[in-house]
């Protein structure tokens, strides 16, 4: 009976962890003591599960001190076991097939470097699959190509994946990844002469568009001004609330006179979007977001100029933003770049599907 209760308690814990991780939710809480009103997602979800099943409620409430399955170490152990099972399943899918290595680096909130590894391979019935395989936590000061290769090969070897079976590599444009002589792709290419490096075509297109725009002075100034206007609005919660209120009133007015139709997914509230040099199509979406609600944005800026609580610095920024938005050059270049980037976006979307 004790073994059966332990298994039910453990199964409830595993199910909660699987649910939270599949939804990308954190497990831990800020205060997990018994007196806490919110003990974190893991403990709170277990309570909800117990509330709908008396057997689960019984085994959780009567759990012995050494078998509660609530400590962080137990949660990490369960996650580790699940991740190993997922990797083993992916390894079975790959079988003896050739595979393509895709690697990218990113920093988390603690500025710790993380190396994400994806395997691309041909599965049954000639279907191409991409599987996220693992993440390496590495020190920022030790991201040399030799270190990255050693760590990647170590993980691949643990799952009986030979580097010689690699048929390609995909990295970003940093020198330690795609360097012709000492980059990671060159080191792998020395072990496997068929593992050619391919830089994502859509990423190359985006970087080429950004570089070309910076070489044209008026285009470079336009994007600088666009970033200034959007950052001024979105960095202020007060401005964002005013923008949403103005846009809502505009929707109500247009609906009352029959200019727009109501319905599911139609005329939804939109917000201003920042552009990023490495995010595909972000410049196009940034321009479209502003031009779509440019009247409401200008009205919000005019309200700020009449707000006596704003300081002189804020009023100065508003005056600059308004002068830019009503200028013919800004509006003309915005429409021109929206047209050009719209054409390039079709190519970008196609490249993402084929790369």
């Amino acid at each position: 009976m004790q073994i059966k209760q332990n298994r039910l308690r453990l199964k409830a814990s595993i199910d909660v962890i699987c649910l939270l991780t599949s939804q990308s939710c954190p497990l831990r809480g800020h205060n997990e003591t018994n007196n806490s009103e919110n003990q974190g997602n893991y403990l709170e979800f277990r309570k909800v599960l117990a509330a709908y099943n008396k057997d689960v409620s019984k085994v959780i409430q009567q759990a012995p001190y050494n078998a509660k399955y609530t400590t962080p170490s137990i949660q990490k152990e369960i996650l580790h076991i699940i991740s190993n099972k997922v990797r083993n399943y992916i390894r079975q899918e790959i079988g003896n097939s050739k595979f393509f290595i895709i690697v990218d680096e990113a920093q988390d909130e603690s500025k710790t470097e993380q190396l994400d590894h994806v395997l691309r391979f041909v599965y049954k019935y000639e279907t191409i699959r991409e599987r996220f395989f693992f993440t390496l936590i590495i020190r920022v000061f030790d991201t040399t190509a030799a270190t990255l290769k050693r760590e990647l090969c170590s993980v691949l070897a643990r799952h009986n994946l030979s580097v010689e079976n690699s048929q390609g590599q995909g990295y970003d444009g940093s020198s330690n990844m795609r360097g012709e002589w000492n980059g990671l792709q060159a080191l792998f290419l020395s072990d496997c002469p068929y593992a050619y490096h391919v830089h994502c075509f859509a990423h190359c297109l985006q970087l080429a568009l950004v570089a070309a725009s910076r070489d044209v002075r008026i285009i470079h100034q336009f994007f600088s001004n666009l970033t200034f206007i959007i950052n001024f609005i979105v960095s202020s919660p007060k401005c964002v609330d005013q923008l949403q209120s103005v846009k809502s009133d505009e929707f109500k007015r247009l609906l009352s006179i029959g200019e727009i139709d109501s319905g599911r997914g139609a005329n939804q509230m939109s917000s201003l979007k920042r552009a990023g040099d490495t995010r595909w199509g972000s410049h196009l979406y940034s321009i479209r977001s502003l031009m779509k609600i440019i009247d409401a944005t200008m009205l919000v800026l005019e309200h700020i100029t009449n707000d006596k609580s704003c300081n002189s610095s804020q009023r100065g920024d508003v005056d600059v933003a308004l002068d830019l938005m009503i200028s013919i050059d800004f509006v003309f270049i915005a429409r021109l770049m929206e047209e050009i980037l719209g054409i390039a976006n079709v190519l970008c979307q196609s490249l993402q599907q084929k790369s």
Side-chain angles (χ1 to χ4, degrees), residues 112-316:
T112 302
E113 195 77 13
Q114 297 185 357
L115 193 71
D116 298 327
H117 185 193
V118 175
L119 295 179
R120 180 184 176 101
F121 57 94
V122 178
Y123 190 55
K124 298 177 181 178
Y125 313 113
E126 299 183 354
T127 58
I128 298 177
R129 291 190 175 181
E130 289 185 359
R131 298 299 192 202
F132 174 77
F133 202 56
F134 62 88
T135 296
L136 285 175
I137 306 299
I138 55 180
R139 296 186 181 274
V140 176
F141 59 81
D142 192 15
T143 57
T144 61
T147 300
L148 297 178
K149 180 177 183 294
R150 182 175 65 251
E151 296 294 338
L152 288 172
C153 290
S154 175
V155 176
L156 292 175
R158 286 202 299 268
H159 293 85
N160 197 26
L161 288 170
S162 176
V163 178
E164 286 72 20
N165 279 337
S166 174
Q167 293 295 295
Q169 310 172 66
Y171 314 126
D172 58 18
S174 59
S175 58
N176 66 328
M177 302 300 289
R178 65 184 297 265
E180 185 177 356
W181 304 108
N182 297 318
L184 181 62
Q185 66 91 15
L187 298 180
F188 271 123
L189 200 60
S190 63
D191 295 338
C192 184
Y194 301 105
Y196 296 109
H197 171 257
V198 178
H199 192 173
C200 176
F201 298 133
H203 192 197
C204 291
L205 175 62
Q206 174 75 5
L207 295 178
L209 292 173
V210 172
S213 65
R214 288 175 176 171
D215 287 340
V216 182
R217 183 177 59 85
I218 57 175
I219 303 299
H220 177 68
Q221 290 178 348
F222 164 76
F223 281 112
S224 298
N225 296 333
L226 176 67
T227 302
F228 169 76
I229 295 171
I230 292 179
N231 286 342
F232 181 82
I233 296 293
V234 300
S235 60
S236 172
K238 182 179 179 180
C239 291
V240 173
D241 290 340
Q242 289 180 353
L243 183 61
Q244 296 294 334
S245 177
V246 170
K247 196 60 183 175
S248 178
D249 294 339
E250 180 68 11
F251 279 159
K252 293 178 181 178
R253 186 185 68 83
L254 293 176
L255 284 171
S256 64
I257 62 177
E259 288 292 330
I260 59 176
D261 297 326
S262 61
R264 183 176 181 180
N267 301 309
Q268 295 184 354
M269 298 295 292
S270 56
S271 59
L272 299 177
K273 297 180 176 60
R274 292 187 176 99
D277 289 351
T278 58
R279 294 200 303 272
W280 302 323
S282 61
H283 289 74
L284 173 63
Y285 301 142
S286 181
I287 296 174
R288 284 178 175 175
S289 68
L290 178 61
M291 301 308 293
K292 185 177 180 181
I293 55 176
I294 189 170
D295 293 336
T297 304
M298 293 178 65
L299 187 58
V300 170
L301 294 177
E302 290 175 356
H303 287 168
I304 297 176
T305 58
N306 299 324
D307 189 354
K308 296 181 179 180
S309 62
C310 297
N311 55 43
S312 58
S313 176
Q314 291 176 323
R315 289 198 184 96

